[in-house]
Amino acid sequence: MTERLLIAGNWKMNGSLAALAEAEAIDQAAARHAGVDVALAPPAVLIAAMAARVAHLAVGAQDCHAAAKGAHTGNHSAAMLSEAGAHFAIIGHSERRADQGETSADVAAKAAALSTAGMQAILCVGEPLEVRDAGGALEWVTAQLEASLAAVIDPQLLTIAYEPIWAIGTGRVAELADISAMHDALAEALVIRFGDLGQDVRVLYGGSVNPGNAADILALDAVGGALVGGASLTAAQFVPIIEAAAAA
Ligand code: PGA
């Protein structure tokens, strides 16, 4: 595991040109805490405008299409996102797996497209509540990870985000011991998949991370940072999480 933590914000379908003032304030915090990697993924239509207004954080997308171009109405290729100013794309978010019916095979194809374009992927995995309650989360999530990596992917362009579905936007956070156990299992799966290079793939935790719980989560050895939804929308909420990472 690398020592630098990554604090990534996913604005989902929120934000506006006016909200870019928040991104500027977050950018200033990123400048103050140069030992922490900071990233923001706004809606695709805001990528270029955000990229023009920040200098210390990485701007990214919330999805990308697996194809380089063609008849895919409403989608964006990795190269298009890159040209707009995106350095990474979140892929396989549980909301897209649910809303758009994305399969792990789709996610693997997207990860491969990002690798080909030289862009970073933040690839999300995480179990539904019934799997957690039945006691099968470790096996379910590692299998989902393996299926989502079943393509030619550059591990140096890869970050994983473990986001239990029941913890996203609910205020309910996983137990610290459960987060550690899952991150250890994912780290092992990454070494099986990529050999030694798998050791350097960061695994973020996501799901209701906020200024009140970030320090405890980021202190866990196997946690390489956080993927933050709701609390990334304002500097008032997101900057304390960056500060917690700087202090971890
Ligand atoms: P949340 O979302 O922080 O609002 O729970 C996390 C995510 O979906 O990435």
Side-chain angles (χ1 to χ4, degrees):
M1 188 65 57
T2 50
E3 287 189 341
R4 287 179 70 87
L5 296 176
L6 168 61
I7 305 299
N10 172 10
W11 279 14
K12 308 189 178 181
M13 202 168 73
N14 298 291
S16 60
L17 287 173
L20 295 182
E22 299 295 332
E24 284 178 336
I26 293 165
D27 190 52
Q28 283 158 22
R32 287 195 298 278
H33 299 289
V36 178
D37 292 332
V38 179
L40 278 179
V45 290
L46 293 176
I47 289 172
M50 185 185 282
R53 286 173 60 170
V54 300
H56 306 281
L57 63 80
V59 179
Q62 299 172 12
D63 179 47
C64 88
H65 198 277
K69 63 182 171 73
H72 303 290
T73 303
N75 286 118
H76 308 96
S77 71
M80 290 168 186
L81 296 166
S82 174
E83 193 173 37
H87 290 275
F88 69 94
I90 297 168
I91 51 172
H93 192 282
S94 61
E95 287 153 14
R96 292 197 60 86
R97 290 181 190 258
D99 295 355
Q100 271 76 32
E102 280 185 14
T103 64
S104 291
D106 295 331
V107 176
K110 291 174 184 217
L114 288 166
S115 282
T116 302
M119 284 175 71
Q120 296 275 344
I122 298 181
L123 192 164
C124 304
V125 293
E127 80 283 2
L129 187 57
E130 59 274 19
V131 170
R132 169 61 61 181
D133 286 344
L138 291 180
E139 296 74 12
W140 196 94
V141 176
T142 48
Q144 189 188 41
L145 179 73
E146 283 162 21
S148 301
L149 293 176
V152 179
I153 296 160
D154 181 349
Q156 291 175 302
L157 293 173
L158 183 65
T159 298
I160 304 301
Y162 167 55
E163 301 201 302
I165 295 170
W166 46 271
I168 294 175
T170 59
R172 199 178 148 189
V173 185
E175 300 288 333
L176 294 176
D178 290 338
I179 297 174
S180 276
M182 183 63 77
H183 280 240
D184 286 344
L186 293 173
E188 206 177 301
L190 286 164
V191 169
I192 292 170
R193 172 66 179 79
F194 295 114
D196 285 350
L197 287 175
Q199 285 175 6
D200 295 328
V201 176
R202 281 189 286 209
V203 183
L204 315 181
Y205 174 77
S208 297
V209 176
N210 62 43
N213 59 29
D216 285 346
I217 294 167
L218 295 170
L220 298 173
D221 266 354
V223 171
L227 181 56
V228 183
S232 72
L233 295 174
T234 60
Q237 291 274 301
F238 199 49
V239 171
I241 299 173
I242 296 169
E243 289 166 352

